[in-house]
Amino acid sequence: MCSSTATTRVQVVEKILSANDTIAASNRHLLEHAGVYGINIMASPGAGKTSFILKTLEALQGRLQFGVIEGDLASSIDTDKARAAGLPAVQINTGGECHLDAVMLANALPSLPLHDLDLVLVENVGNLICPANFQLGTHLNVLIASIPEGDDKPYKYPGMYMGMQVLIINKTDLLPYVPFNMDYFRQGVEILNPNLTVFPVSSKTGEGMAAWADWLVDKVRGNQSTVSHCRDMSAQTTLNE
Ligand SMILES: Nc1nc2c(ncn2[C@@H]2O[C@H](COP(=O)(O)OP(=O)(O)OP(=O)(O)O)[C@@H](O)[C@H]2O)c(=O)[nH]1
Ligand SMILES: [Mg+2]
């Protein structure tokens, strides 16, 4: 590729990402206004995103009300599962896109009963490359790695591990059957993102889910009290003006 073509391409990509960030900011505003905490869940296909969401519902035991936005290239399979479990759920079919973007989320959010919810879990399209590049306006990025994917993934897909705040290591029930060097895996993660909060879990047996659910409740309640404190301060400022 000649250098002027490459420069134009970089400029176009920068413009797309900047337009996306503007809409992501408006999504964040919508969520905050409704008092809802948003989580963007990313992982490779089949890592267990939907299973983890359904197990989170069980582990929360009614402590938080949440809805789900399911991103897939096609089908409503995951949304059907979430609805069958009693969750409000909206499907986004991206057609050919390998990730969700802020516009897709902006179109989906009004279909959820946001004012009845504490939390929205967004299941991004199964992919270990693209989703990390597109902000959605959610508060937290969660990556799910799973044991059968192999212990070398942080070394091969570093971008995905760098932009996350939480790492779920799923399918730990398979550790006795699948070669997976946990020390090697965690060293790769540590180099890329030493501040990650890590939860090893099994979405099949439920092992580890209680620790995740307790942490999540604290996180969401903490955000709700910060947002309401900021609202009170802003109302106070207006009254004093
Ligand atoms: N043994 C085991 N299997 C699991 C676990 N979590 C999920 N699975 C299985 O892994 C497969 C994929 O799980 P899903 O939850 O559909 O994965 P996903 O990431 O949502 O998949 P896509 O939406 O298609 O990208 C299913 O057969 C699940 O039953 C786990 O912790 N242990
Ligand atoms: Mg799924």
Side-chain angles (χ1 to χ4, degrees):
M1 195 188 294
C2 73
S3 68
S4 72
T5 312
T7 306
T8 310
R9 189 159 181 270
V10 168
Q11 286 167 344
V12 169
V13 170
E14 279 173 356
K15 272 192 182 160
I16 291 169
L17 289 177
S18 142
N20 184 76
D21 287 353
T22 304
I23 297 161
S26 126
N27 289 343
R28 172 68 69 89
H29 183 74
L30 180 71
L31 289 169
E32 298 263 317
H33 185 70
V36 176
Y37 194 73
I39 301 186
N40 183 6
I41 300 179
M42 292 165 267
S44 57
K49 298 178 289 300
T50 310
S51 306
F52 175 73
I53 289 170
L54 298 180
K55 217 61 180 177
T56 297
L57 176 67
E58 277 178 43
L60 282 172
Q61 297 181 319
R63 285 175 288 169
L64 297 173
Q65 298 304 312
F66 76 91
V68 177
I69 295 178
E70 292 288 352
D72 281 295
L73 267 67
S75 93
S76 63
I77 293 170
D78 287 354
T79 297
D80 295 343
K81 286 182 189 167
R83 287 189 184 144
L87 292 167
V90 182
Q91 183 73 49
I92 299 173
N93 282 143
T94 64
E97 294 294 331
C98 56
H99 59 86
L100 294 180
D101 63 32
V103 175
M104 296 176 195
L105 200 73
N107 290 333
L109 280 172
S111 300
L112 285 176
L114 289 181
H115 287 280
D116 299 332
L117 303 178
D118 302 299
L119 174 68
V120 171
L121 298 183
V122 181
E123 179 176 339
N124 216 309
V125 177
N127 187 302
L128 268 192
I129 304 165
C130 315
N133 296 327
F134 287 81
Q135 302 292 322
L136 301 182
T138 43
H139 298 78
L140 189 81
N141 287 333
V142 172
L143 176 64
I144 302 183
S146 72
I147 300 304
E149 285 167 41
D151 50 22
D152 55 2
K153 294 302 167 287
Y155 302 91
K156 296 171 89 173
Y157 299 90
M160 206 65 189
Y161 282 80
M162 285 193 284
M164 301 294 135
Q165 289 86 46
V166 174
L167 173 66
I168 305 293
I169 307 174
N170 191 32
K171 309 196 186 183
T172 51
D173 57 291
L174 297 180
L175 275 169
Y177 313 105
V178 178
F180 188 96
N181 183 331
M182 189 62 85
D183 289 340
Y184 175 66
F185 174 79
R186 291 190 78 143
Q187 274 161 21
V189 173
E190 178 79 16
I191 291 162
L192 295 167
N193 195 337
N195 298 319
L196 261 180
T197 303
V198 182
F199 295 97
V201 307
S202 166
S203 300
K204 184 179 178 201
T205 66
E207 193 183 358
M209 290 301 296
W212 151 251
D214 291 348
W215 183 90
L216 183 60
V217 171
D218 285 350
K219 195 80 184 165
V220 172
R221 294 292 178 225
N223 183 66
Q224 284 169 335
S225 58
T226 308
V227 169
S228 72
H229 176 70
C230 292
R231 272 206 208 116
D232 291 347
M233 294 294 284
S234 140
Q236 193 64 46
T237 310
T238 312
L239 282 173
N240 292 340
E241 278 169 0

